[in-house]
Amino acid sequence: MRFSIYQESRLGRRKNNEDRVGYSYSRDALLMVVADGMGGHAGGATASKVAVEAFLLALEQGGALADGLKEANDAVGRTAAGRADLSGMGTTLVAAVETPEQMLVASVGDSRAYLFENGSLRAITEDQTWVQEVGRPLGLDEETLRRHPMRHVLTMAVGVGSSVRIRYYAVQLADGDMLMICSDGLHGV
């Protein structure tokens, strides 16, 4: 394996942490995933846990990124279906899979992937949020977007519908480059 993995999760402003990190080395490929739950105390933590476990299992069994995200979406939906206390739960998710030529990245929601190369950090993914998909196209300036009441609204999440809209990216890594996947608990600060 040519990659080193470092993970860290800390409590932020809330009393509970709804983030979940997972990784695996399967079929000679590194799989990494971060999910950030939503839906309240039990719901958010459950959604992120279920999504990460379902995603990794699907890929370890030979599935592609799309298969892992679909299975994560279905698993979160099934888990919420029979329990009133989990109604409305969902999670964001960002994942990276190593291939011989590159890292493939998939994202849903506002968890992100960044590439650190040549001394600078740049975002790879694009958020699925009201700000990105509605506010910016309307021409709202950055200061207005930073304070807008809809600034935290997601336009897509894993587990909240029968299907999920996934964004895909391919990233070339050179020696010394670093790929970081994270929740908004890091980039939103």
Side-chain angles (χ1 to χ4, degrees):
M1 180 173 5
R2 62 179 210 165
F3 296 100
S4 297
I5 298 173
Y6 173 80
Q7 73 177 37
E8 185 170 336
S9 185
R10 295 183 186 178
L11 279 177
R13 295 170 279 184
R14 296 188 180 126
K15 293 180 181 178
N16 65 319
N17 189 340
E18 297 180 352
D19 291 359
R20 179 66 68 149
V21 175
Y23 58 89
S24 173
Y25 193 71
S26 176
R27 297 181 298 138
D28 295 324
L30 176 63
L31 316 172
M32 301 177 290
V33 60
V34 170
D36 180 7
M38 51 184 240
H41 301 285
T46 301
S48 60
K49 178 181 185 296
V50 168
V52 165
E53 290 172 356
F55 174 83
L56 288 174
L57 182 61
L59 269 74
E60 288 167 355
Q61 293 177 342
L65 271 172
D67 301 321
L69 267 292
K70 181 184 180 323
E71 184 52 39
N73 189 64
D74 293 348
V76 172
R78 282 191 308 270
T79 303
R83 292 186 48 190
D85 62 323
L86 299 179
S87 178
M89 76 174 182
T91 185
T92 67
L93 190 143
V94 61
V97 176
E98 174 190 14
T99 72
E101 303 84 30
Q102 59 199 348
M103 293 295 284
L104 301 177
V105 177
S107 69
V108 175
D110 66 353
S111 288
R112 294 182 183 170
Y114 290 89
L115 178 62
F116 184 78
E117 63 180 342
N118 301 321
S120 67
L121 188 67
R122 70 174 172 89
I124 295 167
T125 55
E126 187 175 291
D127 294 347
Q128 291 172 309
T129 61
W130 183 92
V131 164
Q132 190 65 30
E133 295 182 358
V134 179
R136 282 199 175 94
L138 285 174
L140 299 178
D141 64 78
E142 290 303 311
E143 183 57 32
T144 301
L145 292 172
R146 243 187 316 280
R147 291 202 243 133
H148 198 282
M150 301 282 285
R151 69 186 175 277
H152 297 294
V153 174
L154 295 172
T155 56
M156 183 56 55
V158 171
V160 297
S162 59
S163 64
V164 65
R165 193 169 25 97
I166 307 164
R167 294 205 168 137
Y168 297 98
Y169 310 86
V171 181
Q172 300 294 327
L173 295 177
D175 287 342
D177 289 352
M178 289 186 269
L179 179 71
M180 177 177 69
I181 59 176
C182 65
S183 72
D184 68 344
L186 179 64
H187 71 74
V189 175

